[in-house]
Amino acid sequence: RTFRKMTRFVLLFACLLTCCNAFLPSVKTACPSHSSLWLSGRGNSGYKTDVGYSTIIRPRFLDRWEQAIMKREQRRKENMEDGYAEIFDKQLPLGRRLLRLPFRIAKRILRRPQEPGTLILVRHGQSEWNANQTFTGWADPDLSQQGYREAEHAARLLLEGGYEIDVVFTSRLKRAIRTVWILLSELNEVYLPVFKSWRLQERHYGALTGLSKKETAEQLGADLVQKWRNSYDARPPSLKPSDNYWPGNDRRYADLAEDEIPLTESLKDCMLRTEPIWDGRIQRELKKGRNVLVVAHANTLRGLVKKIDNISDENIQDVALPTGIPIIYKFDKSFTPVDQDGPSQVHTKGLFLEKPGLLKDALEREVEWANNVPGYDSTMKRRGKVMSSLERSLSKLNAERELGKWAGQFIDPDAQGDDGTDGNQGKPIVFTEDSIADSAVGESDKDVETKTNGEELREVTPTLITNNPCVTSLPAATILSDSEYVQRRKDAVLVMIRHGKTEHNKLKLFTGWEDAPLAREGVEEAKEAGRLLKRHGFEFDVVYTSWLSRAVETAFHVMDEMDELWLPLIKTWRLNERMYGVLTGLSKRMVAQRHGDKQFMAWRRGYSTPPPPVSSFSIHYPGNDKRYQKYLNDVRYSARESLIRTIESGRFTLRRKLPKAESLKDCMDRTIPFFKERICPEALDNGKRVLISSSENAIRGLLMYLCEIPEDQISGLEIPNGLPLIFDVNSKCIKLLDDGSGQDPLEVHNFGKAANYLFRPCQNEDGSPDEECDIRYMSDAFSSSDAISRPSVKDMQSLEEIKSGTYGEPVTMGPAPNK
């Protein structure tokens, strides 16, 4: 009965609020003389005049309530922009939240206060425009060679200090994103979640963007330029929307409202822009005990430092942040920054891992050191992953075979004599067929169907007869140089790419969830895929990949070649390769020799036969990898694994159920639902252009679902490395891209016996044949691909407009108005 009364009261209160909101606009219209009071609450005299007014017509708590709703909606929108909400701010259904509420309350009461995490601030490495003293702002130049070295050096400082990173935040600008990539590559943690936010962009320099700092000061006066650069609330002249550097012309900011795109900013504007991401994300992650890396720009980092150290408006102008030097903040339980032993800057408590200037001096002397210090050059060269003894031996064996092939060009086998020491009286050796054919362990295996009850393997031939594969020819307007036009593809599309080759692929080792990086050939395959997609005018809105380095690297190189590093890159374990259990890291020929061809083919090509599982303490078990311990939260807990880890550690520990071995079916049971429940509703159904970079068996699962390939045929499908597979959501078929070589794709690439299921005749939505057999263009889908050239400071017309104050909006020296 009490519950019913409370329910009636809540419903009555909600109806009252609804009526108020419906009534208030009419009151506002009927009282035009009070419109200014309604909006500002102040009359012309500046005194507050809403006493007794808003309390009768519109209660003040309604304003606060609406503001809270708007703030929550803005936070939800920004959390969805790069996949942050799915990992760290996932909203559960109301019923589940209510069920968890008592446990959360008990956890807060019984658990000791958690120590805040460590905050690591890194300003991006030197950019090309930093090097030539150019106003950069929201322009997007890349890192200089010195910037690369600064980023690598910052990573080594973090590695030396033993700092661990849980989550990364950066801007949407290339110089910051590339710095993050270099940092994580050096730390061997490219799988970490990286979130790109426009709120961490550099201060917008308005009409000064692209102009030389030195020459602008000479033309306009050093005092004026320094006031724009160093004053807290002075803005440079505004950009015009017709300017090349206006952010509204860049599709990376298409999700921003018009009033969120700045035309110019003061230092104060820039710092106010960073506050929401500090309050809504960074501070929240730190309070949960996670270590946060923020890679951003000088003025946005100054905004964070001002907030953390509570620095005054005057003193913040004295704070400088050099490129490529990590600054460490630690907090006490009340979230107050604590003093640390080591160099720190005035007004701040952040620890510099190295004094500024040391690396710059070292780089200037590097040539001299390389000549005088033995072994310096070889030490500084980047080395690949350390090989195991098995990998090293097989690599040398392959090299010897390649050498034998090369030498065979110059040797006449008939001229080779045998002195009889091998036996057989000097006669040539007669060989029988090898019982283990290369095709049984190579990449182009026969299609087989394996029964779990031990029935004989049998070859399966598809009965579907189809046309030749649909090859999308090069568009008429192709990117031939940075100054020509390209026809952009605007329709929703799905592109799938299997990662480039790894050393494991080359040595024919079972890889599975082992984190093998790309080989040099694999890097080039990924880059070539990006160049091919760019030549065909592809653009993407979101990229999905796995938690394995080879897939993440492939996605990065494709995005880099397409100049789309700012795209949201969503990483998920559900797109991982199949888990091969105890076969992980073993040679395929070795497994076939030890267990026989039949068992080998059942494990490798069977649909529902998993290999033997690994132990809970094996280095190949995912539960021993910190990426799955920290970030995997969408599978149930395992009682067995939790008991094992509790006994091992001597304290209660919860562990989730992770695969110890997977059949092809098990792999698809996690891949296909993710595609249907996440990628389709979040991206494809909303008309977005999607790129998926993953491993062979994960892509097999997607193609099985999309192309309706039968279960007994899917194991016969081969996926070439680094080849873009285009699934047109309109014509429902797979297409290939013409690389301009004129070669038949089926002669160049091996798709296996199930290729006929893959390349069905293209059909329109009504089921009729798609005669064009091409991804359709929008009529207005032409866009310029000109590389934005930096305007010269010698362009006197722009300088004269700036000098006279007629360029864009007038110069504002006062405080910036609140948006």
Side-chain angles (χ1 to χ4, degrees):
R1 187 179 305 144
T2 303
F3 177 75
R4 287 198 297 267
K5 290 181 179 180
M6 292 177 61
T7 304
R8 292 194 194 101
F9 175 77
V10 170
L11 293 176
L12 182 61
F13 183 71
C15 293
L16 179 62
L17 293 180
T18 305
C19 294
C20 289
N21 286 333
F23 170 71
L24 290 176
S26 62
V27 174
K28 176 182 174 182
T29 306
C31 307
S33 60
H34 293 289
S35 60
S36 61
L37 303 179
W38 189 274
L39 295 175
S40 64
R42 296 179 183 272
N44 295 332
S45 63
Y47 293 99
K48 197 167 184 179
T49 58
D50 61 348
V51 177
Y53 178 76
S54 64
T55 53
I56 298 175
I57 304 294
R58 182 179 177 85
R60 292 180 184 175
F61 76 88
L62 289 180
D63 293 328
R64 292 195 294 269
W65 181 50
E66 288 185 354
Q67 291 174 3
I69 291 178
M70 292 176 61
K71 186 176 181 180
R72 182 176 180 181
E73 180 62 24
Q74 181 184 18
R75 175 185 165 188
R76 187 195 66 81
K77 175 186 173 183
E78 294 190 4
N79 285 353
M80 292 298 294
E81 70 176 345
D82 50 13
Y84 174 82
E86 181 61 29
I87 299 179
F88 295 121
D89 194 26
K90 191 172 183 179
Q91 293 295 325
L92 298 175
L94 178 60
R96 293 183 63 181
R97 293 206 301 269
L98 292 175
L99 288 175
R100 291 189 176 190
L101 183 60
F103 298 98
R104 294 181 62 183
I105 295 175
K107 186 177 179 181
R108 289 186 178 182
I109 295 174
L110 299 177
R111 195 172 185 178
R112 296 179 180 178
Q114 193 170 23
E115 291 284 347
T118 300
L119 175 63
I120 305 171
L121 304 180
V122 178
R123 182 185 173 191
H124 62 78
Q126 183 194 64
S127 72
E128 295 169 348
W129 286 19
N130 292 143
N132 61 20
Q133 293 293 303
T134 303
F135 286 104
T136 309
W138 283 34
D140 201 23
D142 209 337
L143 294 182
S144 65
Q145 286 300 318
Q146 180 175 327
Y148 275 81
R149 297 297 301 275
E150 288 175 344
E152 291 176 344
H153 186 69
R156 291 161 189 156
L157 290 175
L158 293 172
L159 195 61
E160 179 190 47
Y163 293 97
E164 294 185 353
I165 301 170
D166 297 320
V167 60
V168 184
F169 293 94
T170 188
S171 73
R172 299 185 188 180
L173 296 176
K174 186 187 302 179
R175 55 192 183 272
I177 299 172
R178 195 176 300 282
T179 300
V180 170
W181 178 256
I182 296 171
L183 285 167
L184 298 185
S185 297
E186 284 288 325
L187 298 173
N188 196 27
E189 293 182 332
V190 296
Y191 59 84
L192 287 175
V194 178
F195 304 108
K196 307 160 191 172
S197 173
W198 68 278
R199 292 194 176 277
L200 290 175
Q201 306 272 104
E202 177 58 292
R203 171 189 175 189
H204 198 298
Y205 280 103
L208 300 182
T209 302
L211 300 181
S212 168
K213 297 176 182 178
K214 181 179 178 181
E215 296 184 16
T216 303
E218 293 175 356
Q219 296 290 333
L220 302 180
D223 293 339
L224 179 60
V225 174
Q226 287 301 318
K227 192 167 188 177
W228 287 335
R229 292 184 63 187
N230 299 326
S231 177
Y232 181 65
D233 52 12
R235 296 194 188 105
S238 301
L239 276 178
K240 298 175 183 177
S242 59
D243 287 334
N244 285 337
Y245 292 112
W246 182 54
N249 295 326
D250 195 331
R251 74 182 190 93
R252 79 184 72 189
Y253 309 116
D255 59 326
L256 303 185
E258 186 175 353
D259 60 346
E260 291 177 327
I261 299 178
L263 297 175
T264 184
E265 285 182 319
S266 65
L267 180 58
K268 179 180 179 181
D269 296 329
C270 178
M271 293 180 176
L272 290 175
R273 169 161 52 82
T274 62
E275 286 186 3
I277 192 170
W278 167 258
D279 296 332
R281 297 201 202 179
I282 300 175
Q283 185 176 217
R284 180 181 180 187
E285 295 302 316
L286 290 170
K287 289 182 177 180
K288 289 183 177 180
R290 298 190 180 109
N291 301 323
V292 178
L293 170 65
V294 179
V295 179
H297 310 266
N299 289 299
T300 47
L301 292 179
R302 288 169 74 191
L304 296 179
V305 169
K306 183 179 187 298
K307 184 85 172 178
I308 295 168
D309 289 302
N310 196 23
I311 303 174
S312 65
D313 297 348
E314 294 77 17
N315 291 335
I316 190 60
Q317 301 176 51
D318 300 329
V319 175
L321 296 172
T323 56
I325 298 181
I327 302 173
I328 311 299
Y329 276 93
K330 291 185 178 293
F331 305 88
D332 58 20
K333 294 181 180 179
S334 62
F335 207 72
T336 302
V338 298
D339 293 317
Q340 304 175 72
D341 295 332
S344 60
Q345 193 171 184
V346 63
H347 308 308
T348 71
K349 295 185 179 180
L351 171 67
F352 280 70
L353 291 188
E354 185 177 80
K355 289 185 178 180
L358 295 180
L359 177 61
K360 183 178 180 180
D361 294 339
L363 292 177
E364 292 175 353
R365 300 176 183 173
E366 183 175 18
V367 176
E368 180 182 353
W369 290 359
N371 295 330
N372 297 326
V373 180
Y376 173 81
D377 189 55
S378 60
T379 300
M380 295 306 294
K381 286 182 179 177
R382 188 170 220 162
R383 298 179 179 177
K385 179 184 176 184
V386 178
M387 289 186 176
S388 66
S389 58
L390 173 62
E391 294 171 351
R392 189 181 303 110
S393 298
L394 292 178
S395 295
K396 291 181 179 180
L397 179 61
N398 280 353
E400 291 166 355
R401 287 173 174 167
E402 291 296 326
L403 179 62
K405 291 179 182 178
W406 175 80
Q409 304 176 68
F410 311 101
I411 298 175
D412 183 5
D414 297 331
Q416 299 284 329
D418 186 358
D419 59 4
T421 56
D422 289 338
N424 199 27
Q425 301 177 357
K427 298 179 182 179
I429 301 175
V430 179
F431 292 95
T432 59
E433 288 292 329
D434 189 357
S435 60
I436 304 177
D438 288 340
S439 61
V441 294
E443 293 299 324
S444 56
D445 298 331
K446 293 182 179 180
D447 289 334
V448 295
E449 179 184 26
T450 304
K451 300 295 184 179
T452 56
N453 58 7
E455 293 183 8
E456 291 292 329
L457 302 173
R458 61 184 179 87
E459 185 175 338
V460 177
T461 303
T463 57
L464 181 64
I465 300 177
T466 66
N467 295 335
N468 293 328
C470 177
V471 180
T472 302
S473 60
L474 284 170
T478 303
I479 295 180
L480 300 178
S481 69
D482 288 338
S483 61
E484 297 186 6
Y485 290 91
V486 62
Q487 198 170 19
R488 300 295 185 188
R489 301 177 184 270
K490 301 296 183 181
D491 288 349
V493 68
L494 172 64
V495 178
M496 293 164 281
I497 299 180
R498 181 189 175 189
H499 60 77
K501 288 188 182 69
T502 66
E503 292 296 335
H504 278 50
N505 295 141
K506 293 167 59 180
L507 300 176
K508 298 180 181 178
L509 305 180
F510 284 103
T511 310
W513 285 30
E514 188 170 350
D515 208 11
L518 292 183
R520 292 178 181 176
E521 299 92 327
V523 172
E524 186 55 37
E525 287 171 343
K527 291 182 176 180
E528 180 57 32
R531 290 191 287 265
L532 183 61
L533 288 166
K534 186 174 182 179
R535 288 169 58 196
H536 281 265
F538 278 87
E539 290 178 341
F540 296 105
D541 299 306
V542 62
V543 182
Y544 293 89
T545 187
S546 72
W547 282 357
L548 301 175
S549 297
R550 54 191 183 272
V552 181
E553 287 184 63
T554 299
F556 179 87
H557 291 305
V558 170
M559 294 159 61
D560 191 15
E561 291 295 326
M562 300 182 69
D563 197 23
E564 292 184 338
L565 287 178
W566 53 271
L567 286 173
L569 181 60
I570 299 176
K571 305 166 188 173
T572 172
W573 73 277
R574 293 190 177 275
L575 291 178
N576 277 14
E577 177 58 289
R578 172 187 171 190
M579 173 58 185
Y580 280 108
V582 297
L583 305 184
T584 303
L586 299 182
S587 164
K588 296 171 183 176
R589 183 179 292 274
M590 180 190 301
V591 175
Q593 186 274 331
R594 290 178 178 176
H595 301 279
D597 293 346
K598 180 178 178 181
Q599 185 62 67
F600 166 76
M601 295 302 292
W603 285 338
R604 185 169 185 235
R605 291 301 186 185
Y607 180 70
S608 57
T609 304
V614 295
S615 163
S616 297
F617 300 99
S618 168
I619 60 173
H620 299 305
Y621 176 54
N624 297 322
D625 191 324
K626 67 179 182 180
R627 78 190 75 181
Y628 304 106
Q629 297 174 9
K630 287 185 177 181
Y631 306 113
L632 194 146
N633 57 11
D634 57 349
V635 296
R636 69 176 180 84
Y637 288 105
S638 168
R640 182 175 182 274
E641 289 299 319
S642 298
L643 178 61
I644 291 174
R645 301 303 174 180
T646 299
I647 296 174
E648 177 196 21
S649 62
R651 59 186 180 86
F652 181 69
T653 304
L654 285 175
R655 288 295 175 90
R656 297 187 182 271
K657 184 176 178 60
L658 291 167
K660 295 183 176 180
E662 287 182 315
S663 65
L664 186 58
K665 179 181 181 300
D666 297 329
C667 177
M668 295 179 180
D669 285 345
R670 58 174 163 83
T671 302
I672 296 176
F674 178 81
F675 178 80
K676 294 193 294 185
E677 297 169 9
R678 284 286 312 278
I679 298 178
C680 285
E682 293 179 7
L684 292 175
D685 293 349
N686 293 322
K688 292 184 178 181
R689 296 157 293 183
V690 178
L691 171 66
I692 297 178
S693 170
S694 188
S695 303
E696 183 176 30
N697 285 299
I699 294 178
R700 270 200 187 108
L702 299 179
L703 293 175
M704 176 181 175
Y705 170 71
L706 294 171
C707 300
E708 300 177 353
I709 303 176
E711 294 180 357
D712 59 353
Q713 308 290 327
I714 189 60
S715 60
L717 182 64
E718 300 285 347
I719 311 295
N721 293 96
L723 180 67
L725 302 177
I726 318 299
F727 180 77
D728 187 357
V729 297
N730 294 320
S731 56
K732 308 295 184 185
C733 67
I734 295 292
K735 303 174 183 179
L736 303 178
L737 300 179
D738 180 14
D739 60 1
S741 65
Q743 295 178 292
D744 184 352
L746 292 187
E747 295 180 359
V748 178
H749 305 288
N750 173 37
F751 291 93
K753 290 290 185 69
N756 286 341
Y757 289 97
L758 201 63
F759 302 110
R760 297 182 178 183
C762 302
Q763 295 180 347
N764 296 317
E765 295 182 358
D766 58 359
S768 60
D770 183 2
E771 297 179 356
E772 295 182 0
C773 198
D774 194 5
I775 298 178
R776 294 174 294 161
Y777 293 102
M778 298 282 286
S779 59
D780 57 345
F782 286 95
S783 63
S784 173
S785 63
D786 287 335
I788 299 177
S789 58
R790 182 166 63 90
S792 172
V793 73
K794 296 180 180 178
D795 184 359
M796 297 305 298
Q797 182 178 359
S798 297
L799 286 175
E800 288 299 327
E801 290 178 352
I802 294 175
K803 190 182 298 184
S804 61
T806 60
Y807 192 98
E809 297 179 356
V811 178
T812 303
M813 296 299 179
N818 294 327
K819 291 186 179 181

